[in-house]
């Protein structure tokens, strides 16, 4: 069955297919992912004319058909890390090693031996260690990671933070999600675990799981990728990805960044206030809520 590629969104066996990563999603009747074919603007034998611009953001025209494959796609995870020993990185790398093909890491000038931990994993095919940290200029760090990962000739890139774990269901589904030739990004539901792994936080300021977050994207050589020049809260995928067709799923990811002790959360609060004292990149109200002594917590269930 052929779906109209000009329709804003389509439902695909649970996930949503739509043109804009920022769109709200609704549920409609389904058809299986395996039976779905969507023609995307840019496909076909017609050559597209494009003016060459002398800039780092644009390159020669490319063929979308050439890079969209329905089988044999290589999945590469990419992480930026800094002083992650003794936290969650080892567990994250163990987990990723089970379901991705390669891992690319940029270490942001760690001082605790984090690079040595990364080198112990055979699937880490590229590790770049920065001499000076870029954490205060996050868009530069994101760009350095993207360039490092793109240099390994990936088919798909999974943007992972050093404190994120994909659910068993997500790991089982990910190959079917990438081995198709119509959608170019995949979004998941991320849950902010709080004070442990049994509960996540949900209130008016903490609702990451109520929307979809794209973390998996098809890499297309020659496509103009770039990040917004923000020092903090930079999106994990380049902005031009938002205009490509994608799939939003109900598959879950645990974010463990707030799962530690109160002391750990206070340290993160102080770091945010130091980097963004006037709320230029984020919400000051949200920062202050980190210290809420009685947050609303919901029991975690891995299954949907």
């Amino acid at each position: 069955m052929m779906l109209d590629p000009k329709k804003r969104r389509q439902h695909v066996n649970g996930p949503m297919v739509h043109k804009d990563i920022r769109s709200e999603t609704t549920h409609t009747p389904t058809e299986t992912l395996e039976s779905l074919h969507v023609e995307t603007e840019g496909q076909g034998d017609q050559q597209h004319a494009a003016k060459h611009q002398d800039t780092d953001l644009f390159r020669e025209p490319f063929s979308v058909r050439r890079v969209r494959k329905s089988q044999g796609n290589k999945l590469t995870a990419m992480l930026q890390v800094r002083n992650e020993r003794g936290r969650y990185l080892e567990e994250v790398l163990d987990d990723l090693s089970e379901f991705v093909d390669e891992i690319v890491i940029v270490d942001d000038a760690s001082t605790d031996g984090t690079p040595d931990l990364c080198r112990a994993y055979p699937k880490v095919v590229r590790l770049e260690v920065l001499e000076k940290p870029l954490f205060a200029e996050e868009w530069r760090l994101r760009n350095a990671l993207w360039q490092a990962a793109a240099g390994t000739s990936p088919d798909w890139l999974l943007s992972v933070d050093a404190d994120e774990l994909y659910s068993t269901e997500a790991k089982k589904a990910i190959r079917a999600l990438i081995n198709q030739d119509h959608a170019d990004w995949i979004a998941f539901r991320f849950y902010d675990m709080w004070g442990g792994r049994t509960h996540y936080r949900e209130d008016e300021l903490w609702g990451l799981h109520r929307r979809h977050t794209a973390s998996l994207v098809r890499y297309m050589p020659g496509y103009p990728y770039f990040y917004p020049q923000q020092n903090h809260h930079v999106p994990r995928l380049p902005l031009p990805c938002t205009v490509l067709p994608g799939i939003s799923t109900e598959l879950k990811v645990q974010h463990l960044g707030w799962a530690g002790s109160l002391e750990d959360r206070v340290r993160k609060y102080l770091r945010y206030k130091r980097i963004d004292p006037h709320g230029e990149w984020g919400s000051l109200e949200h920062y202050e809520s980190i210290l809420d002594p009685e947050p609303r917590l919901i029991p975690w269930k891995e299954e949907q």
Side-chain angles (χ1 to χ4, degrees):
M1 178 179 181
M2 186 73 71
L3 293 182
D4 184 355
K6 296 181 180 180
K7 290 184 179 178
R8 180 169 180 170
R9 53 181 80 139
Q10 298 285 351
H11 190 272
V12 188
N13 198 26
M16 301 295 302
V17 178
H18 50 81
K19 285 290 185 182
D20 191 336
I21 197 172
R22 298 160 294 186
S23 300
E24 294 295 328
T25 58
T26 56
H27 293 282
T28 57
T30 66
E31 61 182 322
T32 63
L33 186 64
E34 290 78 7
S35 66
L36 187 68
H37 175 74
V38 178
E39 291 182 352
T40 307
E41 294 180 14
Q43 287 183 306
D45 297 327
Q46 182 180 3
Q47 295 291 328
H48 293 273
K51 294 181 180 180
H52 176 70
Q53 301 187 37
D54 189 15
T55 170
D56 291 337
L57 303 183
F58 296 94
R59 302 175 185 174
E60 293 294 329
F62 66 99
S63 168
V64 173
R65 168 178 286 183
R66 191 169 65 244
V67 296
R68 283 195 173 122
K69 302 186 299 183
S70 60
Q71 59 182 353
N73 284 284
K74 182 174 75 171
L75 175 58
T76 301
M78 58 179 187
L79 296 85
Q80 57 191 43
V81 301
R82 175 174 169 78
N83 292 339
E84 300 291 347
R85 267 193 178 276
R87 300 189 72 245
Y88 307 107
L89 179 59
E90 188 169 4
E91 184 178 1
V92 168
L93 290 175
D94 284 338
D95 195 54
L96 289 173
S97 296
E98 295 179 1
F99 72 97
V100 306
D101 299 305
E102 295 181 351
I103 302 172
V104 173
I105 298 174
V106 169
D107 180 273
D108 191 33
S110 288
T111 58
D112 67 345
T114 293
D116 293 331
L117 174 61
C118 297
R119 293 187 185 99
Y121 286 83
K123 287 196 174 182
V124 176
V125 298
R126 176 168 293 181
L127 170 64
E128 296 190 2
V129 181
L130 304 182
E131 294 184 0
K132 296 182 179 180
L134 291 176
F135 184 80
E137 297 179 283
E138 189 181 351
W139 72 277
R140 294 185 183 277
L141 185 57
R142 288 283 187 192
N143 186 65
L145 176 59
W146 182 268
Q147 296 299 328
T152 64
S153 300
D155 293 314
W156 283 81
L157 289 169
L158 181 66
S159 179
V160 184
D161 285 349
D163 54 11
E164 294 173 349
L165 294 174
Y166 280 72
S167 68
T168 299
E169 190 175 3
K171 290 184 286 188
K172 289 180 179 178
I174 206 162
R175 286 293 165 178
L177 288 168
I178 67 174
N179 282 328
Q180 42 76 29
D181 59 6
H182 61 274
D184 296 321
W185 54 260
I186 312 295
F188 304 86
R189 291 201 186 270
F190 284 69
Y191 290 74
D192 286 315
M193 310 306 294
W194 203 267
R197 304 192 187 192
T198 61
H199 292 74
Y200 61 91
R201 182 165 176 176
E202 179 182 79
D203 52 44
E204 64 274 8
L205 293 174
W206 294 82
L208 179 63
H209 56 282
R210 291 197 292 263
R211 62 183 183 270
H212 294 98
T213 300
S215 60
L216 178 60
V217 65
R218 188 193 307 272
Y219 178 70
M220 297 185 288
Y223 189 73
Y225 295 109
F226 61 89
Y227 287 94
Q229 296 186 16
Q230 299 174 197
N231 290 342
H232 201 33
H233 299 307
V234 178
R236 64 178 66 218
L237 297 180
L239 282 183
C241 298
T242 64
V243 301
L244 298 170
I247 296 173
S248 290
T249 78
E250 300 307 306
L251 300 169
K252 298 180 178 181
V253 183
Q254 284 186 308
H255 173 227
L256 303 178
W258 306 105
S261 65
L262 174 59
E263 290 77 11
D264 186 45
R265 295 196 295 275
V266 169
R267 282 193 292 269
K268 292 187 70 172
Y269 163 80
L270 294 173
R271 185 167 70 247
Y272 286 166
K273 293 300 291 287
R274 183 180 69 253
I275 295 173
D276 190 19
H278 305 296
E280 183 179 0
W281 313 111
S283 163
L284 291 179
E285 184 181 12
H286 192 267
Y287 296 158
E288 295 300 328
S289 72
I290 295 171
L291 304 181
D292 188 340
E294 297 182 352
R296 182 173 183 264
L297 303 181
I298 307 296
W300 162 257
K301 294 181 180 179
E302 180 167 307
E303 69 275 8
Q304 294 185 27

